[in-house]
Amino acid sequence: MNIKVEKNVLLSAHTTLKVGGVADFFVQVDSVEELVEALQFASENNETPLILGGGSNILASDEGFCGLIIKNCIKGLSYTVHGDNVYLYCGSGEVLDEVVADAVSKNYWGLENLSSIPGTVGATPVQNVGAYGVEVSSLITEVSAINSETKEIKNFSNKECDFSYRDSFFKTSEGKKWMITEVVFKLSLIKKPQLDYGTLKTLETLGAVSIDDIRNEIIKIRSVKFPNWHKVGTAGSFFKNPVVSKEVFSDLQAKFPGIQGYPAGETMTKIPLGWVLDNVCNLRGFCMDGVCLYREQALVLVNESAKDAKVIEKFANYVAEVVKEKTGINIEREVTSV
Ligand code: EPU
């Protein structure tokens, strides 16, 4: 066996929120072969396996994890060009921002709006990562994964991934059995700036923008809106933007003039929760027991000094209660609890 299984590893050291108790077993895998070995170890020892990428979207409980945490470091990056299309084959353990930087340096269009997002490539299909008008669902052509129970290897088409806003097949109970090993993105040699998203519109007025301009602008915006991951605990947006019916949205508009909404399908409207937390609930910058809503972007939860997940749980529940009380909306978390 090539893999080195460790015992009793603290999850707080492997999640960007910097909380979480002890995992019974922990292993890092650097290849698909090692992932298979790790899954065999889990079956033989009757341990539940759980794959972890950058740990940037996880709220790990204080009780820890009774099973085997598999830290995914499966690397690999290659491109094939077909006409104007460039197919990027990417190991799921690659760091997303390094992949974006590489594609941008080669002038391959598609991923630039996803600059500066923490985490690994394997996590992107799971929650259909998106920012500044681009979701990975518009770029992914295929996802390879291995079934943790049967060890079957399967390639999922874009359709089979069943993507929606911050959601996919891989978040369902059946989908959770599949561990992603490779993601294929379809990029383009043709210049395709996507500048529709509010804050990017300023770039449009500048005329000819290069792919580097877009990446640099997004890095700049994010450095203001998001805290430094190396200094404080955070998982980016902690909650999803709620999607409500058009009727509910008109009622909210009557009550809170200025509330924004974006069409989500034929009948629904997506509301920026950051705006609601800030302007309706007055919670931007609010802190309790060392946990805060970031003063520059209220949707971002910041763990300044809490050592326990239960402190974050209490804080998040309180925020959800205030939103419910003020607007009637039940908000959902974007982060995954383990
Ligand atoms: N707003 C406020 N006050 C705040 C925060 C936001 O008024 O404190 C307003 C903004 O001015 C803006 C609107 O709310 O008009 C939306 O804010 P923003 O553009 O920052 O985007 P968001 O909806 O809060 C989403 C994603 C982010 C992504 C950004 C940019 C979700 C849950 N979050 O945030 O994704 O980076 O758009 O595209 O969809 C993540 O998923 O972890 C994440 C960071």
Side-chain angles (χ1 to χ4, degrees):
M1 244 188 10
N2 287 323
I3 54 167
K4 235 176 50 217
V5 179
E6 295 170 66
K7 273 187 176 172
N8 302 328
V9 172
L10 256 182
L11 287 175
S12 55
H14 293 278
T15 61
T16 62
L17 272 169
K18 300 188 202 295
V19 292
V22 170
D24 292 350
F25 295 97
F26 183 96
V27 67
Q28 176 179 318
V29 297
D30 295 317
S31 63
V32 177
E33 293 68 36
E34 289 189 3
L35 172 58
V36 172
E37 278 187 21
L39 291 175
Q40 257 150 11
F41 173 92
S43 315
E44 282 160 17
N45 294 279
N46 225 350
E47 297 290 343
T48 309
L50 179 77
I51 201 153
L52 188 73
S56 57
N57 204 49
I58 298 271
L59 178 58
S61 81
D62 299 323
E63 283 68 45
F65 184 71
C66 195
L68 172 68
I69 296 282
I70 303 173
K71 168 96 179 151
N72 177 10
C73 292
I74 302 173
K75 302 282 183 191
L77 193 67
S78 66
Y79 301 89
T80 57
V81 179
H82 287 285
D84 293 332
N85 296 322
V86 181
Y87 292 89
L88 160 57
Y89 297 81
C90 197
S92 55
E94 287 283 350
V95 172
L96 176 63
D97 194 51
E98 290 172 9
V99 173
V100 175
D102 194 73
V104 165
S105 74
K106 295 181 166 63
N107 246 335
Y108 295 157
W109 290 80
L111 286 167
E112 57 284 354
N113 287 32
L114 304 178
S115 289
S116 203
I117 293 181
T120 50
V121 165
T124 64
V126 179
Q127 57 149 347
N128 187 13
V129 163
Y132 306 101
V134 175
E135 286 184 339
V136 289
S137 55
S138 65
L139 300 167
I140 289 175
T141 56
E142 209 168 84
V143 172
S144 307
I146 176 163
N147 187 302
S148 58
E149 288 174 5
T150 63
K151 320 286 186 294
E152 180 197 351
I153 291 174
K154 183 176 159 153
N155 294 332
F156 292 81
S157 66
N158 179 293
K159 194 160 183 280
E160 286 171 312
C161 293
D162 196 21
F163 291 119
S164 57
Y165 169 60
R166 290 297 189 275
D167 208 1
S168 76
F169 162 74
F170 301 105
K171 277 200 166 180
T172 63
S173 58
E174 184 53 34
K176 281 182 184 156
K177 293 179 190 158
W178 292 89
M179 300 196 161
I180 295 170
T181 53
E182 186 181 70
V183 181
V184 186
F185 298 95
K186 186 178 167 188
L187 309 180
S188 177
L189 290 177
I190 299 179
K191 184 171 179 174
K192 286 186 180 167
Q194 309 233 32
L195 305 173
D196 296 337
Y197 197 85
T199 34
L200 292 182
K201 288 223 165 81
T202 45
L203 270 181
E204 214 165 18
T205 58
L206 297 177
V209 283
S210 70
I211 197 167
D212 288 304
D213 293 336
I214 299 176
R215 175 165 166 81
N216 292 337
E217 180 66 15
I218 285 170
I219 291 173
K220 207 166 91 191
I221 298 171
R222 290 189 78 98
S223 70
V224 175
K225 279 202 187 175
F226 296 89
N228 185 332
W229 302 81
H230 304 291
K231 292 199 179 139
V232 292
T234 184
S237 301
F238 191 86
F239 299 100
K240 289 187 192 179
N241 283 326
V243 178
V244 300
S245 70
K246 283 191 172 153
E247 292 73 32
V248 169
F249 183 64
S250 336
D251 291 348
L252 289 168
Q253 259 181 325
K255 231 168 135 189
F256 309 110
I259 193 169
Q260 301 159 41
Y262 306 97
E266 299 274 288
T267 55
M268 308 294 276
T269 302
K270 188 156 80 182
I271 300 174
L273 181 63
W275 189 92
V276 173
L277 292 168
D278 184 1
N279 299 282
V280 175
C281 305
N282 231 340
L283 287 175
R284 180 160 59 87
F286 168 75
C287 296
M288 189 163 78
D289 306 331
V291 186
C292 306
L293 292 185
Y294 194 48
R295 59 190 176 281
E296 306 296 340
Q297 199 339 343
L299 193 56
V300 175
L301 180 147
V302 180
N303 177 15
E304 283 185 347
S305 59
K307 298 279 173 279
D308 298 327
K310 60 177 173 302
V311 178
I312 297 180
E313 285 285 349
K314 184 177 152 205
F315 180 89
N317 289 339
Y318 173 75
V319 170
E321 271 167 35
V322 175
V323 174
K324 172 80 182 165
E325 193 189 301
K326 299 259 184 197
T327 65
I329 302 172
N330 290 310
I331 55 172
E332 286 174 26
R333 292 184 187 180
E334 205 229 87
V335 296
T336 304
S337 290
V338 297

